[in-house]
Structure formats: C-alpha cells, structure tokens
Amino acid sequence: MRVEWALRLKGVEYEYIEEDIFNKTPLLLELNPVHKKVPVLIQGEKVILESFIILEYIDETWKQYPILPQDPYDRAMARFWAKVGEEKFLWDTCMAVWTQFEEEKEGYLKQAIESLQKIEEVLIKGKSKFFGGEKIGYLDIALGWISYWLPVWEEVGSMKIVDPILFPSITAWMENIRNHPVIKDKLPPRDKMVAYFQGRKKEIGASMAAARKG
Amino acid sequence: MRVEWALRLKGVEYEYIEEDIFNKTPLLLELNPVHKKVPVLIQGEKVILESFIILEYIDETWKQYPILPQDPYDRAMARFWAKVGEEKFLWDTCMAVWTQFEEEKEGYLKQAIESLQKIEEVLIKGKSKFFGGEKIGYLDIALGWISYWLPVWEEVGSMKIVDPILFPSITAWMENIRNHPVIKDKLPPRDKMVAYFQGRKKEIGASMAAARKG
C-alpha cells in the first residue's frame, strides 16, 4: 500500500497485481529471489524491491510532490523513525497478535506502547497535521499502516495499543490518514481483514509455538 | 567504521569517540534512547543515528565525492544489497560464530554462503574494482566489514565462508578494500580483535543457549 500511496500522491499511473503472501506466485519468487516478499515495483525492465527503497526510488524518479523532506537532517529523522516503526513497533505489534503465550504478549505490548510513545512525541514536536507537515510525506506513508491495520490487529489480538487518551496526536493523525483522498478508497473492507487475520492467527501462533518446542 | 570511511572519503574532519558496545556510556544511551547502538554522528546540535542513515546524511550534506550512485535505479540497487548484507549475510555470519549448536551453525553457514553467492554475482556483473565502480561507494562501505571483520570472525568461529575458489571476485574486492588509503590505517590490530571476540563468543553463546532454555 505504501507504494500505491506514493504513486498516487505523485499522480503516476500504475497497474496493481495482487499477491497472496501466504501462497506466493512463481513471478514473485523470480522477481525477488532473496526475500520473496512484496512489494515489488516493476518499471520497464527495472525491478525494485523493499518498500522503503521503492519509496526513495519513486521520490527520486518522479520529482513532483516530493515525499521525503528536503533538508538532510529532516530526511535522516524521517528515515530513522520509519525504521523504528518497522523494526520495533510493527514487529512487537505483530508478535503480540500472533503469540499464544499471555506473558509474552504482555511483554510485546509493553514494548510496542513504549515505541508508540516516542512516535507520538515526534508528532507533537512537529505540531502539524502529518509527520510531513501539512501534506503527507515519507514518514506518514511508512507509518500509515498504524491508521488502518493496527485497529484491525488490535481486534484480532483482543488488545489495545492506541489508547486515545494516551495518544491524542496519533489518534488524530490516524483519522487524517484514513480520510486522505489518496488513501481513503484504497483501504480493503475491514470485516474481511479481521476475519482473514483471525484465521491466520491460529495457524501462525501454532507454528510459532511448535518452532519453539522443536 | 562506515561513518569514518565516508567522512574520510569526503575529507570531512571529525573527532572519534570510542564506545564499548558491551559497556555503554550514559552519553550513548542519552543520544540513542531507542536502539542504544553505535554509530552516532553528532554535528553541532544534530544527532544522526543508524549507520546507513548516517551514510545518506553525509552524502547529502557534503556533496564532494558522492558515495551513492547518481542514477535512481543504481541507488535502489546499492541500498537493496546493503540491506541484504546487513539483515541476512551479517546476521547469519554472526549467528554461525556465536551459536553453540553444531547443526544450527551449519544452517547459518549455508545461508550465509547463499547470500554471498548473490553478492558475488553483483560484483561480477559490475565488472569493476569496487561495487561503486573504480571508486569506493555506498555499497562498498556498507559491505566493507566483509574485508576485515569476516576473516576475524571466521577464525573465531573456526569456519570458512569466503572460499577464494568459490568467491574470486569478493576475494579480490576484499583485498582492494583493505588496501584503500582511507581504510588501510584505520583497521584495528587483528590479533587483538580475534582474542576479543573469542572471549565474547563464550559469553554470548552461553547466554543464547540459556535464553532458549528459559
């Protein structure tokens, strides 16, 4: 979705090809033999991999509507918080959803909330509608999953991370992201996603527990 | 070291402050409260974290001797292989050194060699002295640890990854990196490093085994 959002912000036409990440096509395995992951951006004969790398590529290739900040330090900060969101906050959130062990879940939730507090502070300091200012930028795209997927996963995991009292800025930002014209009509039906991840939770939780024993 | 190499390539003066990553100073914890990791680049009141992000910052701030390629696709490829080197090859290599379980070690070694084969192919395709062409660039800096640290770790782990017969291009490149004027006199004494990591291997291997049991 990050890639689609960036392309839409820039007004670049594209064709979207669906991949079931739990049942990958030979095309995906051929295009991304190292990680076997989506997203993959194909432009003519060029194949670009990894969502953050694709975002930088898009920003460097189509100059209209710059998504990264212009100042080197602001760029570094946007990249840093994107990485924290991905490697810490997203990771802890997913682990909290999937794990079958209550104590472990509490640990992941605690860490996730700590990361989100730091992200909330970034938003408070910026004093604007989005991380990127009054317009959506790189960090908004990188963290955008929080606005839509996090509530889905909170429901699937029977847990709460984004308490509106503790995270007023993030809560307002989530609403701004979900209502953005580029994003609004690209979100899949929520009920379908909840049902999908509820099914996956059982499978993944069981295989995680089995891997530990083995 | 990546940060030092980049600054030296650009001729930027800096002061180096040593951190023992196993016994971190309060300064480091204050500067990098999220990851508590080195490197940290301090420029006036600005604090920049994460080595790849610092490299981009350096390249955007001091324009002389560009380290990233100029073409967006080449930039994406350099970033992609840097990430593979870090998240797959470096990870598997370290795990192979630290683990106390022979079977697990074989698994990590196998994966490490598979990643290195892909990296070797990139170098072969490029047909030049460095990943960056005839001059050291971003990917050379990102993967530079292979030239010095990998042989140290191979010795500590009593293992071989870079077989010169299997990896002729990487082997030649390692020599080129180690002999580069910016790098040559910045490498710590090898014997001291081997002894240091031999000590660490015992500790880390034992704590990894204990964590698994717990």
Side-chain angles (χ1 to χ4, degrees):
Chain A
M1 275 195 202
R2 288 169 177 155
V3 174
E4 285 199 275
W5 294 349
L7 291 171
R8 284 164 64 97
L9 284 169
K10 289 186 178 268
V12 176
E13 282 189 33
Y14 63 91
E15 181 194 355
Y16 175 82
I17 301 170
E18 182 76 27
E19 271 285 337
D20 177 356
I21 54 168
F22 296 102
N23 187 14
K24 296 168 180 174
T25 64
L27 176 67
L28 179 63
L29 303 183
E30 187 197 318
L31 292 175
N32 189 353
V34 181
H35 298 295
K36 306 171 182 69
K37 285 195 308 190
V38 288
V40 173
L41 179 66
I42 308 171
Q43 187 202 14
E45 296 197 342
K46 292 172 190 159
V47 176
I48 303 109
L49 307 169
E50 295 285 328
S51 71
F52 291 168
I53 295 174
I54 295 173
L55 290 183
E56 301 251 2
Y57 177 79
I58 289 172
D59 209 30
E60 292 167 358
T61 302
W62 294 280
K63 304 285 187 191
Q64 64 274 29
Y65 195 104
I67 55 175
L68 272 153
Q70 297 306 296
D71 174 72
Y73 183 65
D74 294 340
R75 291 164 77 87
M77 287 296 103
R79 288 175 179 135
F80 176 75
W81 289 108
K83 197 169 149 74
V84 170
E86 196 75 359
E87 293 174 12
K88 288 182 79 82
F89 184 56
L90 177 58
W91 173 260
D92 289 329
T93 299
C94 290
M95 293 303 279
V97 176
W98 304 135
T99 184
Q100 294 183 326
F101 304 98
E102 201 51 42
E103 204 181 313
E104 212 173 79
K105 182 174 178 167
E106 292 307 317
Y108 286 121
L109 280 177
K110 190 171 165 283
Q111 286 171 203
I113 288 167
E114 281 171 13
S115 295
L116 195 61
Q117 278 162 343
K118 291 181 182 120
I119 294 169
E120 169 92 3
E121 283 165 30
V122 176
L123 201 49
I124 291 170
K125 266 192 211 160
K127 290 181 196 159
S128 47
K129 202 171 165 189
F130 298 108
F131 287 98
E134 291 311 306
K135 293 201 297 179
I136 284 191
Y138 177 85
L139 187 52
D140 297 287
I141 297 171
L143 300 178
W145 62 272
I146 295 172
S147 71
Y148 174 77
W149 294 103
L150 187 56
V152 167
W153 294 336
E154 284 177 330
E155 188 172 337
V156 173
S158 310
M159 62 196 206
K160 191 73 192 165
I161 293 176
V162 193
D163 178 335
I165 310 286
L166 286 175
F167 300 107
S169 299
I170 290 286
T171 304
W173 168 85
M174 287 166 70
E175 190 72 16
N176 293 336
I177 290 285
R178 278 194 308 261
N179 287 320
H180 192 283
V182 150
I183 290 169
K184 204 172 183 175
D185 63 326
K186 295 301 290 179
L187 297 171
R190 186 192 158 103
D191 291 355
K192 212 176 138 188
M193 288 299 106
V194 170
Y196 177 79
F197 281 105
Q198 272 163 344
R200 285 292 156 196
K201 176 173 162 57
K202 260 192 171 164
E203 273 177 56
I204 294 175
S207 74
M208 272 167 60
R212 186 145 359 168
K213 275 183 204 152
Chain B
M1 275 196 202
R2 289 170 177 154
V3 174
E4 285 200 276
W5 295 348
L7 291 172
R8 284 164 65 96
L9 284 169
K10 288 185 179 271
V12 177
E13 282 190 33
Y14 63 90
E15 181 193 356
Y16 175 81
I17 302 171
E18 181 77 28
E19 271 285 338
D20 177 356
I21 55 167
F22 297 102
N23 186 15
K24 295 168 181 174
T25 64
L27 176 67
L28 178 63
L29 303 184
E30 187 196 317
L31 292 175
N32 190 353
V34 181
H35 298 295
K36 307 172 181 68
K37 286 195 306 190
V38 289
V40 173
L41 177 68
I42 308 171
Q43 187 201 15
E45 295 196 344
K46 292 172 191 159
V47 176
I48 304 108
L49 306 169
E50 294 286 329
S51 71
F52 291 168
I53 295 174
I54 295 173
L55 290 183
E56 301 251 2
Y57 177 79
I58 289 172
D59 209 30
E60 292 167 358
T61 302
W62 294 280
K63 303 286 186 187
Q64 65 273 29
Y65 195 105
I67 55 175
L68 272 154
Q70 297 306 297
D71 174 72
Y73 183 66
D74 294 340
R75 292 164 76 87
M77 287 296 102
R79 288 174 179 135
F80 176 75
W81 289 107
K83 197 169 148 77
V84 171
E86 195 76 359
E87 293 174 12
K88 289 183 78 83
F89 185 55
L90 176 59
W91 173 260
D92 288 329
T93 299
C94 289
M95 293 302 280
V97 177
W98 305 136
T99 184
Q100 294 183 326
F101 304 98
E102 201 51 43
E103 203 181 314
E104 211 173 80
K105 182 174 179 167
E106 292 307 316
Y108 286 120
L109 281 176
K110 190 171 166 283
Q111 286 172 201
I113 287 166
E114 280 171 14
S115 295
L116 195 62
Q117 278 162 342
K118 292 183 181 117
I119 293 169
E120 169 93 3
E121 282 165 31
V122 176
L123 202 49
I124 290 170
K125 266 192 212 163
K127 289 181 195 159
S128 46
K129 200 172 167 188
F130 298 108
F131 287 98
E134 291 311 306
K135 292 201 298 178
I136 285 191
Y138 177 86
L139 187 51
D140 297 288
I141 297 171
L143 299 179
W145 63 272
I146 295 173
S147 71
Y148 175 78
W149 294 103
L150 187 57
V152 167
W153 295 335
E154 284 178 329
E155 188 172 338
V156 173
S158 310
M159 61 197 206
K160 193 72 193 166
I161 294 176
V162 193
D163 179 334
I165 310 287
L166 286 176
F167 299 108
S169 300
I170 289 286
T171 304
W173 168 85
M174 286 166 70
E175 190 73 15
N176 294 337
I177 291 284
R178 278 195 308 262
N179 287 321
H180 192 283
V182 150
I183 290 169
K184 203 172 184 174
D185 62 327
K186 295 302 291 179
L187 297 171
R190 186 193 157 102
D191 291 354
K192 211 175 139 189
M193 289 299 106
V194 170
Y196 177 80
F197 280 105
Q198 271 163 344
R200 286 292 157 196
K201 176 173 161 58
K202 261 193 171 162
E203 273 177 56
I204 294 175
S207 74
M208 272 168 59
R212 182 141 8 162
K213 275 184 204 151

